[in-house]
Amino acid sequence: MRAAHCRGVVESIAVRATDDPDAMIRAAMLSKRSDRTTDRSVSTAVWCAVFARYLELPPKMLVDLAVGGLLLDIGMQKLAPSLLDETTSYGKRQQLAMQAHVALGREMLEGISDLPHICTEMVVQHHIRPQGGGYPLASGEDPLSAAGILAWVVDQFDAMLTGNSRRPPMAPSEALGTVSLAAESSPLDTLIADQFVQAIGRFPSGSIVELNSGEVGVVSVSDPDRRLRPTLHVVTKADKTPTSVREVALKSYQRDPSKAKALWIVRGHPPGAFGIEPRTLFD
């Protein structure tokens, strides 16, 4: 495998993340289902690309970060299949074996001469915490980099959205809040996590949200300037039973609770909530 191959894989992601980040966020969100049928490597590449675009980083850096996101868990390919079975209960030995995917990933990448160093940094550091904890914790490693912290943020966020047999998926707003809280261990962690929240938005396109009316909808367009007032497709009544789909632009409604027709988002819901399949709304 060569770095050029990886760059070819993420090239379309990079282009779309630059031209229409909302569409890429929606595509990543639509891939999130509780049955985990989608490869996480693609969505982690998307989050990296969207974040880099938000920071207005140069195109090459955007692609490099997306490649790093794509490769975060490449070492998983070398693990025993039993470790990847989500029904497996992990004991101490299984946890250590699973953690070995970082070292295995590093070994796999060492043979790629044209791979940017930042990509390897992301793979090696995406489970390390700056104030201790995480893995691997071997001495003599490079200092934790900004790219390594971003890789941790992206990996944690995507894992929470996806869920597994031991942990149900979270709503994007809950996942972002959890990551932000965990990132308070250092100023750089906090800065990167806060910027990531701004890039993605607490109610990103493709996510399921509940209104103060009790109705549930799917965000179709997220306004970068008014993240809490997106446009959505309302798909249920207040009692959560299906209804004819209608488009609602929250920016056109009052938010003052004293107003009779005020409308706002009260909470987000995880992918698959209420049996809603957002993909059908965008086909």
Side-chain angles (χ1 to χ4, degrees):
M1 181 174 67
R2 294 178 57 82
H5 173 72
C6 297
R7 295 179 76 85
V9 172
V10 303
E11 194 170 84
S12 61
I13 292 176
V15 171
R16 292 195 65 191
T18 300
D19 295 342
D20 192 351
D22 203 49
M24 286 309 299
I25 290 173
R26 181 165 62 248
M29 285 301 307
L30 295 185
S31 76
K32 296 303 166 188
R33 299 288 291 127
S34 57
D35 58 10
R36 297 196 65 180
T37 56
T38 300
D39 187 352
R40 284 186 55 214
S41 62
V42 175
S43 49
T44 50
V46 169
W47 304 133
C48 288
V50 170
F51 184 62
R53 185 266 183 191
Y54 173 80
L55 295 179
E56 299 182 351
L57 297 178
K60 182 182 181 304
M61 179 64 74
L62 187 153
V63 173
D64 287 350
L65 289 173
V67 169
L70 185 75
L71 298 174
L72 287 186
D73 285 328
I74 190 172
M76 293 284 193
Q77 297 178 16
K78 298 291 186 179
L79 296 180
S82 60
L83 288 173
L84 304 180
D85 182 355
E86 293 178 356
T87 62
T88 300
S89 296
Y90 285 173
K92 182 70 172 179
R93 181 176 298 179
Q94 287 79 11
Q95 289 177 351
L96 291 174
M98 175 63 78
Q99 292 175 9
H101 80 274
V102 174
L104 292 169
R106 173 184 236 170
E107 291 175 5
M108 294 172 70
L109 299 185
E110 284 176 347
I112 307 177
S113 60
D114 56 341
L115 186 71
H117 179 66
I118 194 173
C119 300
T120 304
E121 273 186 347
M122 293 172 70
V123 171
V124 171
Q125 298 181 1
H126 77 283
H127 283 295
I128 299 177
R129 306 306 314 122
Q131 302 301 316
Y135 59 89
L137 298 177
S139 60
E141 297 287 352
D142 293 336
L144 189 57
S145 66
I149 296 172
L150 169 60
W152 174 83
V153 168
V154 165
D155 184 66
Q156 292 294 304
F157 173 66
D158 194 77
M160 291 174 191
L161 280 187
T162 306
N164 55 43
S165 61
R166 295 174 291 275
R167 181 183 64 189
M170 289 185 181
S173 54
E174 183 183 4
L176 289 168
T178 302
V179 170
S180 294
L181 184 62
E184 292 181 350
S185 59
S186 79
L188 184 57
D189 270 35
T190 301
L191 175 62
I192 292 175
D194 287 350
Q195 290 297 302
F196 184 74
V197 171
Q198 292 298 318
I200 304 301
R202 292 198 175 273
F203 305 115
S205 181
S207 62
I208 299 172
V209 297
E210 184 174 348
L211 300 173
N212 61 299
S213 63
E215 299 167 298
V216 176
V218 178
V219 177
S220 56
V221 181
S222 179
D223 186 340
D225 298 320
R226 305 184 69 185
R227 287 295 198 186
L228 302 181
R229 309 294 286 166
T231 297
L232 40 126
H233 296 308
V234 172
V235 297
T236 82
K237 302 174 185 177
D239 62 2
K240 309 304 185 286
T241 58
T243 188
S244 299
V245 178
R246 78 177 195 279
E247 185 174 89
V248 172
L250 289 181
K251 64 182 180 181
S252 301
Y253 287 78
Q254 292 280 348
R255 195 180 177 186
D256 184 348
S258 66
K259 304 296 182 181
K261 294 185 178 181
L263 204 60
W264 66 90
I265 295 173
V266 294
R267 65 180 62 88
H269 287 284
F274 309 109
I276 296 171
E277 179 48 82
R279 186 183 301 276
T280 62
L281 301 171
F282 300 99
D283 288 340

